[in-house]
Amino acid sequence: GLVKMKINLWYSKSMGQWRWTLSEEFRNGVAKIEQHSGQQPMLRDAMNDVANTVEYILEKEKTK
């Protein structure tokens, strides 16, 4: 199945955090939205968490 992901990344000044959300939009033709999110003070740590989440999702798809 096709996995379409939408990643949003923004900086919250008040919290001093990079925040992100990742939505999986399609799973095997079924419009099922699953959301993951996180936050980190450092940009590279936030991006690393996003990459780890994407890898996790791809692994999960493979085992189906």
Side-chain angles (χ1 to χ4, degrees):
L2 171 69
V3 186
K4 187 177 165 200
M5 303 179 209
K6 188 179 284 174
I7 297 164
N8 290 301
L9 174 75
W10 69 98
Y11 187 70
S12 167
K13 249 189 193 155
S14 60
M15 291 170 49
Q17 299 273 345
W18 282 95
R19 309 198 64 175
W20 59 271
T21 58
L22 188 157
S23 318
E24 290 174 64
E25 298 195 326
F26 293 96
R27 305 269 291 284
N28 311 319
V30 181
K32 175 180 175 212
I33 295 186
E34 214 171 283
Q35 188 149 305
H36 309 263
S37 64
Q39 57 186 51
Q40 289 277 9
M42 303 301 285
L43 172 62
R44 287 190 177 268
D45 293 333
M47 293 299 272
N48 209 26
D49 287 349
V50 171
N52 289 338
T53 303
V54 171
E55 284 171 349
Y56 164 76
I57 291 165
L58 295 177
E59 269 312 301
K60 208 171 56 173
E61 284 299 310
K62 255 199 292 191
T63 57
K64 278 197 174 155

